[in-house]
Amino acid sequence: MILITDKINKAAGDILSSVAEVDFIETSQNEKIYFQVSETIANTETKNRELASLKLINDNYEKYLITSDKSFILDEDGIKFKNIIDWLLE
């Protein structure tokens, strides 16, 4: 989680944690980016749980699920899946 917090801090201004069951929300003047973090979503129940809180957010800002998984699925319902290593290297 520290690596994720550091990367978000470098990208934008404020970080709000534990709001609406989302792990992190990166905010800047006119933008928000939501981040949910899970070690793995290989289990369907875990994947559904991690996506559920992001799906409840009814705005058009970007939403990411960051995991250690390598997946060919790039998004679900507009929520982008990112491997943590790939994301950190962006």
Side-chain angles (χ1 to χ4, degrees), residues 4 36-42 65-71 81-87:
I4 292 165
Q36 193 70 5
V37 182
S38 180
E39 181 178 352
T40 182
I41 55 169
L65 178 53
I66 309 293
T67 74
S68 63
D69 301 321
K70 286 278 191 179
S71 175
F81 294 16
K82 288 279 189 172
N83 170 270
I84 188 165
I85 301 299
D86 294 342
W87 181 72

Side-chain angles (χ1 to χ4, degrees), residues 5 18 47 59 79 85:
T5 304
S18 301
K47 176 184 167 189
D59 63 26
I79 299 165
I85 301 299

